[in-house]
Amino acid sequence: MSVDDLVEGVLNRRRRDLARLISLIEDEESSALDVLSRLYKHTGRAHIVGVTGPPGSGKSSLVTRLTAEFRSREKTIGVVCVDPSSPFTGGALLGDRIRMQEHSLDDEVFVRSMGTRGHLGGLARATSDAVRAIDAFGKDIIFVETVGAGQSEVEVIDIAHTVVVTDVPGSGDDIQAIKAGIMEIADIFVVNKKDLPGAEKKATEITTMLDLDTRERTWRPPVLLTNSRSGEGIPELADTILKHHQHLVDSGEMKKRGLQKSKDELRELMKFKLTQELLQKLQGRPEYEKAIERIASREEDPYSVAERLIAEFLFKESR
Amino acid sequence: MSVDDLVEGVLNRRRRDLARLISLIEDEESSALDVLSRLYKHTGRAHIVGVTGPPGSGKSSLVTRLTAEFRSREKTIGVVCVDPSSPFTGGALLGDRIRMQEHSLDDEVFVRSMGTRGHLGGLARATSDAVRAIDAFGKDIIFVETVGAGQSEVEVIDIAHTVVVTDVPGSGDDIQAIKAGIMEIADIFVVNKKDLPGAEKKATEITTMLDLDTRERTWRPPVLLTNSRSGEGIPELADTILKHHQHLVDSGEMKKRGLQKSKDELRELMKFKLTQELLQKLQGRPEYEKAIERIASREEDPYSVAERLIAEFLFKESR
C-alpha cells in the first residue's frame, strides 16, 4: 500500500487504514514517518486525555464508562491502551479489553492496544505517533490509558492535555505512591469504587496533600468520587475533563504546551535523522569497523572516537 | 575539583573521589564525560554480574551473601543498586541497604544506590557509567542489582556479563513472568528461600522450561537452590558465576560482546554529541524559534523542518 493511499485512507476515515498505519508505527517502518508527515497539518484538534493509576484502580472500566458518556454527547472517541510493563508481566490488559467490547460495533469508537516492541523510548514515541494518527483520523477525544507503575508511564502520559489519576480506597501504600510522583502530573484525581469503605477517607487524604502543595497554579486538581460499575460520578468526571480542556485554552496554557511539544519533537526528530545520516555514511567503512575494535581493546576511548568520526565523516562529506 | 584530580583520585583508589564521580554522572555533568574518557583505558577488567528478579525474591540478601563469599576468596567488590520504579514507588530499597552494612567497614567493598534522575534512558546510561567508574577504580566483581519488574530493568541489566535471575517458591504468576522475558536474559537461575515448601517444584518448572527452549546455545543456564538466610548454596552459586565468566572468555563470547557494546556505545555517544552540536548552533536563532511556532500552528510539519534545519545549519556552518 502506497503512502498516498494510506494518507487518503486515514483522512477519509477508513478504520482499516488507520489500523494499518499504527502497525507501521509499531514496526518502526520509515514509511510511517512519511504518512505522519503528510497527516500532520490535520492534527492538533483532538483533546488527549491520559488515564493512569495503580493496577486494580479501575482505569479500563472508567475509560469504558467515559466513552459511553461522551458518545451520548455526540463526541467521537479514540482509545490507546499502553502496557509498558512487558516483558516481565504482560497480558494483564487482555481481560480489560474485553469489557471495551460494548463499543466494538460503534464506528465512532476506535480502540487500540500497544505493547512494548523495541525499547522503552520507542514506546513513548510510538504512542505519541499513534495518537497523532487517530487525531488526524478525526476523533474528538483520545484516551491514553496506562498502568501507573513506573517512570515509563510518566513519559507515555506526557502527551496528554488532561491527566486523570485513578486510585481506590484502602492500600496505604497508595499515599506513598502519590506523594512520590503523581501529584505533579495529575489534573484530576478520581477515587474509583466509591461504594467501598474508605473512599471518602481516601479523597480527604488526597485533598489534604493538595493543600500542602504551595506551588502557584491556576488549576487546582479536583478530587472526584466515581463508581465505574454503577456509573455514579461519571457525568461529573466528563464535565470536569471538558472544563480542564477549556481552562487550558483560556489560560493560554494550551498554546504554551503546544510550543514546548513542538520544540521537544523537533529536537527528537533531528537527533533521529542526524544519527541515521551519520550511520549511513559510516556503515561498511573500514575506518569505522577499526574504530570499534580499538574501543573494545581499550586502545581508544569511545568519547574521543565519537568526536573524531563526527568531524571526519559528517562534515567532510558535506564540503 | 578538577578533572585531573578526579582521574588521579579514582585511579589511586580514593573512595570519596569515586563517590564524587558517580554523583557527577548522576547529575549528568559534562565533566563526568571528560573523567570517564580518561579512565576508559583502565576499564574492561571487572566481571559485571547482574542480579534481577521479582520483588521479594531476596536479591539484596543474595548479593550481601555473595559479597561475603567472594571477599573470603580475596576478590574486591562493587555493588550498584538500581531502582527504576520511581517516582511511583521508591524508597523500598532502603531497608535492603541496611543489611549491606555488615560490609560497610570493609574498604574493599563499594556500595552505591542509584535512583531515577532524569528519564529512563538516562538511568541505563548512568548505571553503565557508574559501573565503568568502579571498574576503573579496580574492583574485581561488580554486582548490578535491580528489581525485575519491567523493560527498563532489562536495559539496565544489559551491561552485565553474567545475569543471575532470582525467584522464590510459590506465586504462580512467576512462571508467567519468566516465560515472558527473563528466559532470554538469564545465565543462571536461582530459586532462593530453598527452605520454603515448593522450592524443588519451582526449580523443576524452570528446568522444564529450559528443556523447551530449542535455541542453539553453548551455555545452558543452570538452576540453583539457595538460602540466603543460612548461606546454603552460596559457595556453589559463586562457583557457577565464575564458571560462566570463564565460559564467556573461552568461547569467544566475551570478545564478541565487547565489540557489540563498543559499537552501541559509540553510536549513542555520536547521537548525543551531534544533537548537542546542532542545538548549540540553533539556540537563539530567530529561524529556529520561528520554525517551532510554525510547527505548533500546523503550518509546517516537524519531519520536514527537522530535515531542513539539519541541512541548513549543520552542513552550511561546516563549509
Side-chain angles (χ1 to χ4, degrees), chain B residues 217-249:
Chain B
R217 50 160 102 194
T218 53
W219 172 268
R220 180 189 156 109
V223 183
L224 300 179
L225 287 150
T226 59
N227 180 342
S228 48
R229 201 126 48 113
S230 69
E232 263 178 289
I234 299 297
E236 293 77 8
L237 176 55
D239 290 341
T240 309
I241 288 171
L242 295 179
K243 200 175 138 197
H244 181 255
H245 186 255
Q246 197 56 48
H247 164 78
L248 290 178
V249 174

Coordinates of all heavy atoms in Angstrom, one line a residue, chain B residues 217-249:
Chain B
R217 N 22.6 -23.1 21.9 CA 23.4 -22.3 22.8 C 24.5 -23.1 23.4 O 24.3 -24.3 23.7 CB 22.5 -21.6 23.8 CG 21.6 -22.5 24.6 CD 21.2 -21.8 25.9 NE 19.8 -21.2 25.9 CZ 19.4 -20.4 26.8 NH1 20.2 -20.0 27.8 NH2 18.2 -19.9 26.8
T218 N 25.6 -22.4 23.7 CA 26.8 -23.2 24.2 C 26.7 -23.2 25.7 O 27.5 -23.9 26.4 CB 28.1 -22.5 23.8 OG1 28.0 -21.1 24.1 CG2 28.2 -22.6 22.2
W219 N 25.9 -22.4 26.3 CA 25.8 -22.3 27.8 C 24.3 -22.6 28.1 O 23.4 -21.8 27.8 CB 26.2 -21.0 28.3 CG 25.9 -20.8 29.8 CD1 24.8 -20.2 30.4 CD2 26.8 -21.1 30.9 NE1 24.9 -20.2 31.7 CE2 26.1 -20.7 32.1 CE3 28.0 -21.7 31.0 CZ2 26.7 -20.9 33.4 CZ3 28.6 -21.9 32.3 CH2 27.9 -21.5 33.4
R220 N 24.0 -23.7 28.9 CA 22.7 -23.9 29.3 C 22.6 -23.4 30.8 O 23.3 -23.8 31.6 CB 22.3 -25.4 29.3 CG 20.9 -25.6 29.8 CD 20.6 -27.1 29.9 NE 19.5 -27.3 30.9 CZ 18.3 -27.8 30.5 NH1 18.1 -28.1 29.3 NH2 17.4 -27.9 31.5
P221 N 21.7 -22.4 31.0 CA 21.6 -21.8 32.4 C 21.3 -22.8 33.4 O 20.3 -23.5 33.4 CB 20.4 -20.8 32.3 CG 20.3 -20.5 30.8 CD 20.7 -21.8 30.1
P222 N 22.2 -23.0 34.4 CA 21.9 -23.9 35.5 C 20.9 -23.3 36.4 O 20.7 -22.1 36.5 CB 23.3 -24.1 36.2 CG 24.1 -23.0 35.7 CD 23.5 -22.4 34.5
V223 N 20.2 -24.2 37.1 CA 19.2 -23.8 38.1 C 19.7 -24.2 39.5 O 19.8 -25.4 39.8 CB 17.8 -24.5 37.8 CG1 16.7 -24.0 38.8 CG2 17.4 -24.2 36.4
L224 N 19.9 -23.2 40.3 CA 20.5 -23.5 41.7 C 19.5 -23.2 42.8 O 18.6 -22.3 42.6 CB 21.7 -22.6 41.9 CG 22.9 -22.9 40.9 CD1 24.1 -21.9 41.2 CD2 23.3 -24.3 40.9
L225 N 19.6 -23.9 43.9 CA 18.8 -23.6 45.0 C 19.7 -23.0 46.1 O 20.8 -23.5 46.4 CB 18.2 -24.9 45.6 CG 17.1 -25.5 44.7 CD1 17.0 -27.0 44.8 CD2 15.7 -24.9 45.1
T226 N 19.2 -21.9 46.7 CA 20.0 -21.2 47.7 C 19.1 -20.8 48.9 O 17.8 -20.9 48.8 CB 20.6 -19.9 47.2 OG1 19.6 -19.0 46.8 CG2 21.6 -20.2 46.1
N227 N 19.7 -20.5 50.0 CA 19.0 -19.9 51.1 C 19.9 -18.8 51.7 O 20.9 -19.1 52.3 CB 18.8 -21.0 52.2 CG 18.0 -20.5 53.4 OD1 18.0 -19.3 53.6 ND2 17.5 -21.4 54.2
S228 N 19.5 -17.6 51.4 CA 20.4 -16.5 51.7 C 20.4 -16.2 53.2 O 21.2 -15.5 53.7 CB 20.1 -15.3 50.9 OG 18.8 -15.0 50.9
R229 N 19.4 -16.8 53.9 CA 19.5 -16.6 55.4 C 20.6 -17.5 56.0 O 21.4 -17.1 56.7 CB 18.1 -17.0 56.0 CG 17.9 -16.4 57.3 CD 16.6 -15.5 57.5 NE 15.4 -16.2 57.0 CZ 14.4 -16.5 57.7 NH1 14.5 -16.4 59.0 NH2 13.3 -17.0 57.2
S230 N 20.5 -18.8 55.6 CA 21.5 -19.7 56.2 C 22.8 -19.8 55.5 O 23.8 -20.3 56.0 CB 20.9 -21.2 56.2 OG 20.8 -21.6 54.9
G231 N 22.8 -19.3 54.2 CA 24.0 -19.3 53.4 C 24.2 -20.6 52.6 O 25.1 -20.7 51.8
E232 N 23.2 -21.5 52.7 CA 23.2 -22.7 51.9 C 23.2 -22.4 50.4 O 22.4 -21.6 49.9 CB 22.0 -23.5 52.1 CG 22.1 -24.6 53.1 CD 20.8 -25.3 53.3 OE1 19.9 -24.7 53.9 OE2 20.6 -26.5 52.8
G233 N 24.1 -23.1 49.7 CA 24.1 -22.9 48.2 C 24.9 -21.7 47.7 O 25.1 -21.6 46.5
I234 N 25.3 -20.8 48.6 CA 26.0 -19.6 48.2 C 27.4 -19.9 47.5 O 27.7 -19.4 46.5 CB 26.2 -18.6 49.3 CG1 24.8 -18.2 49.8 CG2 27.0 -17.4 48.9 CD1 23.9 -17.4 48.8
P235 N 28.2 -20.8 48.2 CA 29.5 -21.1 47.5 C 29.3 -21.7 46.1 O 30.1 -21.4 45.2 CB 30.1 -22.2 48.5 CG 29.5 -21.9 49.8 CD 28.1 -21.5 49.5
E236 N 28.3 -22.6 46.0 CA 28.1 -23.2 44.6 C 27.7 -22.1 43.6 O 28.1 -22.1 42.5 CB 26.9 -24.2 44.7 CG 27.3 -25.5 45.5 CD 27.2 -25.2 47.1 OE1 26.8 -24.2 47.5 OE2 27.7 -26.2 47.8
L237 N 26.9 -21.1 44.1 CA 26.4 -20.0 43.2 C 27.7 -19.2 42.8 O 27.8 -18.8 41.6 CB 25.4 -19.1 43.9 CG 24.9 -17.9 43.2 CD1 24.4 -18.2 41.8 CD2 23.8 -17.1 43.9
A238 N 28.5 -18.9 43.8 CA 29.8 -18.2 43.5 C 30.6 -18.9 42.4 O 31.1 -18.3 41.5 CB 30.6 -17.9 44.7
D239 N 30.7 -20.2 42.6 CA 31.5 -21.0 41.7 C 30.9 -20.9 40.3 O 31.6 -20.8 39.3 CB 31.4 -22.5 42.1 CG 32.3 -22.8 43.3 OD1 33.2 -21.9 43.6 OD2 32.1 -23.8 44.0
T240 N 29.5 -21.0 40.2 CA 28.8 -21.0 38.9 C 29.0 -19.7 38.2 O 29.2 -19.6 37.0 CB 27.3 -21.3 39.1 OG1 27.2 -22.5 39.9 CG2 26.6 -21.5 37.8
I241 N 29.0 -18.6 39.0 CA 29.2 -17.2 38.4 C 30.6 -17.2 37.8 O 30.7 -16.7 36.7 CB 29.0 -16.2 39.5 CG1 27.5 -16.0 39.9 CG2 29.6 -14.8 39.1 CD1 27.3 -15.2 41.1
L242 N 31.6 -17.7 38.5 CA 33.0 -17.6 37.9 C 33.1 -18.6 36.7 O 33.8 -18.2 35.8 CB 34.0 -18.1 39.0 CG 34.1 -17.1 40.2 CD1 35.1 -17.7 41.2 CD2 34.5 -15.7 39.8
K243 N 32.4 -19.7 36.8 CA 32.4 -20.6 35.7 C 31.8 -20.0 34.4 O 32.3 -20.2 33.3 CB 31.6 -21.9 36.1 CG 31.9 -23.1 35.3 CD 31.2 -24.4 35.9 CE 30.7 -25.2 34.8 NZ 29.6 -26.1 35.2
H244 N 30.7 -19.3 34.6 CA 30.1 -18.6 33.5 C 31.0 -17.6 32.9 O 31.1 -17.4 31.6 CB 28.8 -17.9 33.9 CG 28.1 -17.3 32.7 ND1 28.1 -15.9 32.5 CD2 27.5 -17.8 31.6 CE1 27.4 -15.6 31.4 NE2 27.1 -16.7 30.8
H245 N 31.7 -16.9 33.7 CA 32.7 -15.9 33.2 C 33.8 -16.6 32.4 O 34.1 -16.1 31.3 CB 33.3 -15.2 34.4 CG 34.2 -14.0 34.0 ND1 35.6 -14.1 34.1 CD2 34.0 -12.8 33.5 CE1 36.1 -13.0 33.6 NE2 35.2 -12.2 33.3
Q246 N 34.3 -17.7 32.9 CA 35.3 -18.5 32.2 C 34.8 -18.9 30.8 O 35.4 -18.9 29.8 CB 35.7 -19.7 33.0 CG 37.0 -20.3 32.6 CD 38.2 -19.3 32.5 OE1 38.4 -18.5 33.5 NE2 38.9 -19.2 31.4
H247 N 33.5 -19.4 30.8 CA 32.9 -19.8 29.6 C 32.8 -18.7 28.6 O 33.1 -18.9 27.4 CB 31.4 -20.3 29.9 CG 30.6 -20.4 28.7 ND1 30.7 -21.4 27.7 CD2 29.6 -19.6 28.2 CE1 29.8 -21.2 26.8 NE2 29.2 -20.1 27.0
L248 N 32.5 -17.5 29.0 CA 32.4 -16.3 28.1 C 33.8 -16.1 27.5 O 33.9 -15.8 26.3 CB 32.0 -15.1 28.9 CG 30.5 -15.0 29.3 CD1 30.3 -13.7 30.1 CD2 29.5 -15.1 28.2
V249 N 34.8 -16.2 28.3 CA 36.2 -15.9 27.8 C 36.6 -17.0 26.8 O 37.0 -16.8 25.7 CB 37.2 -15.9 28.9 CG1 38.6 -15.7 28.4 CG2 36.9 -14.7 29.8

